[in-house]
mmCIF file of all heavy atoms in Angstrom:
data_model
loop_
_atom_site.group_PDB
_atom_site.id
_atom_site.type_symbol
_atom_site.label_atom_id
_atom_site.label_comp_id
_atom_site.label_asym_id
_atom_site.label_seq_id
_atom_site.Cartn_x
_atom_site.Cartn_y
_atom_site.Cartn_z
ATOM 1 N N GLY M 78 8.200 23.725 0.402
ATOM 2 C CA GLY M 78 7.524 22.513 -0.052
ATOM 3 C C GLY M 78 8.382 21.699 -1.004
ATOM 4 O O GLY M 78 9.614 21.752 -0.949
ATOM 5 N N GLY M 79 7.707 20.959 -1.862
ATOM 6 C CA GLY M 79 8.425 20.063 -2.755
ATOM 7 C C GLY M 79 9.169 20.783 -3.861
ATOM 8 O O GLY M 79 10.315 20.450 -4.184
ATOM 9 N N THR M 80 8.540 21.795 -4.416
ATOM 10 C CA THR M 80 9.077 22.427 -5.619
ATOM 11 C C THR M 80 10.460 23.030 -5.406
ATOM 12 O O THR M 80 11.303 22.985 -6.302
ATOM 13 C CB THR M 80 8.064 23.484 -6.116
ATOM 14 O OG1 THR M 80 6.851 22.785 -6.440
ATOM 15 C CG2 THR M 80 8.567 24.213 -7.340
ATOM 16 N N PHE M 83 13.232 20.596 -6.091
ATOM 17 C CA PHE M 83 13.613 20.335 -7.489
ATOM 18 C C PHE M 83 14.870 21.127 -7.857
ATOM 19 O O PHE M 83 15.668 20.686 -8.679
ATOM 20 C CB PHE M 83 12.468 20.717 -8.436
ATOM 21 C CG PHE M 83 11.238 19.871 -8.304
ATOM 22 C CD1 PHE M 83 9.978 20.406 -8.548
ATOM 23 C CD2 PHE M 83 11.325 18.537 -7.953
ATOM 24 C CE1 PHE M 83 8.839 19.628 -8.425
ATOM 25 C CE2 PHE M 83 10.185 17.744 -7.824
ATOM 26 C CZ PHE M 83 8.944 18.295 -8.061
ATOM 27 N N TRP M 104 5.717 14.469 -11.756
ATOM 28 C CA TRP M 104 6.637 15.091 -10.790
ATOM 29 C C TRP M 104 8.090 14.858 -11.146
ATOM 30 O O TRP M 104 8.939 15.711 -10.870
ATOM 31 C CB TRP M 104 6.321 14.639 -9.370
ATOM 32 C CG TRP M 104 5.021 15.188 -8.879
ATOM 33 C CD1 TRP M 104 3.888 14.488 -8.583
ATOM 34 C CD2 TRP M 104 4.681 16.574 -8.666
ATOM 35 N NE1 TRP M 104 2.882 15.348 -8.193
ATOM 36 C CE2 TRP M 104 3.338 16.626 -8.234
ATOM 37 C CE3 TRP M 104 5.381 17.782 -8.809
ATOM 38 C CZ2 TRP M 104 2.684 17.826 -7.931
ATOM 39 C CZ3 TRP M 104 4.728 18.976 -8.497
ATOM 40 C CH2 TRP M 104 3.407 18.988 -8.075
ATOM 41 N N CYS M 150 11.420 9.736 -8.637
ATOM 42 C CA CYS M 150 10.240 10.121 -7.863
ATOM 43 C C CYS M 150 9.630 8.784 -7.444
ATOM 44 O O CYS M 150 9.066 8.062 -8.262
ATOM 45 C CB CYS M 150 9.257 10.926 -8.711
ATOM 46 S SG CYS M 150 7.720 11.271 -7.834
ATOM 47 N N ASN M 152 7.196 7.697 -5.714
ATOM 48 C CA ASN M 152 5.753 7.461 -5.894
ATOM 49 C C ASN M 152 5.195 8.633 -6.699
ATOM 50 O O ASN M 152 5.226 9.770 -6.228
ATOM 51 C CB ASN M 152 5.048 7.372 -4.534
ATOM 52 C CG ASN M 152 3.573 7.016 -4.643
ATOM 53 O OD1 ASN M 152 3.212 5.842 -4.756
ATOM 54 N ND2 ASN M 152 2.698 8.008 -4.639
ATOM 55 N N THR M 154 2.523 10.761 -7.705
ATOM 56 C CA THR M 154 1.230 11.120 -7.139
ATOM 57 C C THR M 154 0.111 11.205 -8.186
ATOM 58 O O THR M 154 -1.020 10.813 -7.935
ATOM 59 C CB THR M 154 1.368 12.494 -6.448
ATOM 60 O OG1 THR M 154 2.648 12.559 -5.827
ATOM 61 C CG2 THR M 154 0.288 12.731 -5.432
ATOM 62 N N ASP M 174 12.511 11.515 -4.363
ATOM 63 C CA ASP M 174 11.360 12.324 -3.950
ATOM 64 C C ASP M 174 10.322 11.352 -3.393
ATOM 65 O O ASP M 174 9.688 10.606 -4.130
ATOM 66 C CB ASP M 174 10.811 13.079 -5.169
ATOM 67 C CG ASP M 174 9.475 13.762 -4.885
ATOM 68 O OD1 ASP M 174 8.977 13.692 -3.752
ATOM 69 O OD2 ASP M 174 8.938 14.381 -5.835
ATOM 70 N N SER M 176 7.689 12.328 -1.541
ATOM 71 C CA SER M 176 6.578 13.156 -1.034
ATOM 72 C C SER M 176 5.295 12.385 -0.778
ATOM 73 O O SER M 176 4.702 12.481 0.291
ATOM 74 C CB SER M 176 6.281 14.291 -2.008
ATOM 75 O OG SER M 176 7.386 15.134 -2.142
ATOM 76 N N SER M 177 4.847 11.621 -1.777
ATOM 77 C CA SER M 177 3.514 11.030 -1.646
ATOM 78 C C SER M 177 3.547 9.595 -1.113
ATOM 79 O O SER M 177 2.550 8.882 -1.190
ATOM 80 C CB SER M 177 2.769 11.102 -2.977
ATOM 81 O OG SER M 177 3.570 10.640 -4.025
ATOM 82 N N TRP M 193 13.920 13.296 0.062
ATOM 83 C CA TRP M 193 13.149 14.475 0.490
ATOM 84 C C TRP M 193 11.670 14.200 0.309
ATOM 85 O O TRP M 193 11.272 13.356 -0.501
ATOM 86 C CB TRP M 193 13.602 15.737 -0.252
ATOM 87 C CG TRP M 193 13.304 15.794 -1.721
ATOM 88 C CD1 TRP M 193 14.159 15.475 -2.744
ATOM 89 C CD2 TRP M 193 12.087 16.235 -2.338
ATOM 90 N NE1 TRP M 193 13.539 15.670 -3.949
ATOM 91 C CE2 TRP M 193 12.271 16.148 -3.740
ATOM 92 C CE3 TRP M 193 10.864 16.697 -1.858
ATOM 93 C CZ2 TRP M 193 11.275 16.485 -4.650
ATOM 94 C CZ3 TRP M 193 9.872 17.033 -2.765
ATOM 95 C CH2 TRP M 193 10.099 16.932 -4.139
ATOM 96 N N GLN M 197 2.886 17.745 2.857
ATOM 97 C CA GLN M 197 1.420 17.900 2.838
ATOM 98 C C GLN M 197 0.681 16.727 2.213
ATOM 99 O O GLN M 197 -0.539 16.735 2.149
ATOM 100 C CB GLN M 197 1.028 19.198 2.116
ATOM 101 C CG GLN M 197 1.086 19.143 0.600
ATOM 102 C CD GLN M 197 2.460 19.478 0.049
ATOM 103 O OE1 GLN M 197 3.453 19.276 0.714
ATOM 104 N NE2 GLN M 197 2.526 19.963 -1.174
ATOM 105 N N LYS M 198 1.414 15.714 1.741
ATOM 106 C CA LYS M 198 0.741 14.557 1.175
ATOM 107 C C LYS M 198 0.429 13.548 2.279
ATOM 108 O O LYS M 198 -0.690 13.142 2.467
ATOM 109 C CB LYS M 198 1.612 13.904 0.094
ATOM 110 C CG LYS M 198 2.089 14.866 -0.991
ATOM 111 C CD LYS M 198 0.939 15.425 -1.821
ATOM 112 C CE LYS M 198 1.307 16.678 -2.590
ATOM 113 N NZ LYS M 198 2.224 16.518 -3.674
HETATM 114 C C1 LIG H 1 3.051 17.399 -4.404
HETATM 115 C C2 LIG H 1 4.326 16.869 -4.885
HETATM 116 C C3 LIG H 1 5.426 17.723 -5.155
HETATM 117 C C4 LIG H 1 5.344 19.232 -5.054
HETATM 118 O O1 LIG H 1 5.097 19.698 -3.795
HETATM 119 P P1 LIG H 1 4.788 21.254 -3.518
HETATM 120 O O2 LIG H 1 4.869 21.338 -2.046
HETATM 121 O O3 LIG H 1 3.425 21.547 -4.073
HETATM 122 O O4 LIG H 1 5.822 22.059 -4.202
HETATM 123 C C5 LIG H 1 6.590 17.129 -5.578
HETATM 124 N N1 LIG H 1 6.700 15.788 -5.730
HETATM 125 C C6 LIG H 1 5.670 14.961 -5.494
HETATM 126 C C7 LIG H 1 5.854 13.487 -5.684
HETATM 127 C C8 LIG H 1 4.452 15.468 -5.068
HETATM 128 O O5 LIG H 1 3.434 14.630 -4.837
#
Side-chain angles (χ1 to χ4, degrees):
T80 298
F83 294 149
W104 291 114
C150 174
N152 185 83
T154 323
D174 170 2
S176 298
S177 48
W193 68 263
Q197 78 273 27
K198 307 295 162 69

